[in-house]
Amino acid sequence: MMIQPTIVTKKAFQTIGISIITNNEIEMSSNGKIPHQWNQYFQEQITNQIPNKATQTETIALYSNYESDETGNYTYTIGVPVSTISNTPKNMTALTIPAATYAVFTTRKGPLSEIIAETWQDIWKWSKENNRAFTTDFELYDERTFNPNDAQVDIYIALV
């Protein structure tokens, strides 16, 4: 059964994190870069290197700089919301996400590795009939994801 999104409007916000450029074709192959990026994020304790954190419990994975639509390249950034992007460390990316209206998909509870992929399948189906902006989308990881085997995530999809 497909998840029905909630529509929300969010104020602009800023994040700092680590970025890669990838696309869905790469991510669906055995050469996916995103799992390696998460490993780096945790192994190097990137969270602890980010200044001016606006929260202690949220991690955000952002999809931005879309080349076209879900078939093109995009920038994938794992980071945290911050109060200011001044003093961004040299090896990191600072992003300002403009105020926008989002369709928010809340995953079922389950293993992180399954629920994210499954919900994106729903989002791709949903976006065939809805107006995705392809500006900045993001996954919000909060206290509901502390147990990775029984997690729940909100995925924000920017609307036109």
Side-chain angles (χ1 to χ4, degrees):
M1 194 186 81
M2 206 169 114
I3 304 166
Q4 285 312 308
T6 321
I7 306 300
V8 300
T9 303
K10 264 183 91 61
K11 288 193 183 101
F13 65 99
Q14 297 181 311
T15 65
I16 294 175
I18 55 170
S19 296
I20 53 168
I21 293 173
T22 187
N23 62 51
N24 290 337
E25 193 179 337
I26 294 171
E27 294 311 319
M28 288 177 185
S29 73
S30 53
N31 302 322
K33 299 177 180 181
I34 290 175
H36 298 291
Q37 195 186 10
W38 278 103
N39 289 342
Q40 179 192 349
Y41 187 83
F42 290 119
Q43 280 166 356
E44 297 178 14
Q45 299 183 330
I46 298 294
T47 306
N48 300 338
Q49 302 173 40
I50 296 174
N52 310 306
K53 283 192 278 290
T55 166
Q56 292 304 321
T57 55
E58 291 179 357
T59 299
I60 291 192
L62 300 114
Y63 300 78
S64 62
N65 301 327
Y66 283 98
E67 197 174 64
S68 52
D69 54 17
E70 66 266 12
T71 60
N73 285 349
Y74 53 83
T75 302
Y76 182 83
T77 306
I78 305 169
V80 293
V82 293
S83 52
T84 171
I85 54 176
S86 55
N87 307 324
T88 298
K90 294 220 180 333
N91 58 335
M92 295 192 201
T93 310
L95 290 176
T96 299
I97 294 85
T101 302
Y102 296 92
V104 182
F105 293 81
T106 302
T107 68
R108 68 176 171 90
K109 282 189 148 173
L112 269 177
S113 53
E114 286 172 23
I115 61 176
I116 300 295
E118 195 177 89
T119 304
W120 273 105
Q121 297 294 334
D122 276 353
I123 290 167
W124 292 326
K125 276 183 219 137
W126 170 89
S127 66
K128 288 188 172 94
E129 286 138 43
N130 292 274
N131 289 328
R132 266 185 82 182
F134 291 101
T135 47
T136 302
D137 304 315
F138 61 93
E139 299 160 358
L140 177 63
Y141 297 86
D142 55 20
E143 41 289 306
R144 295 171 302 164
T145 58
F146 288 167
N147 174 355
N149 298 312
D150 186 32
Q152 192 169 38
V153 176
D154 291 331
I155 303 180
Y156 287 73
I157 303 296
L159 300 174
V160 172

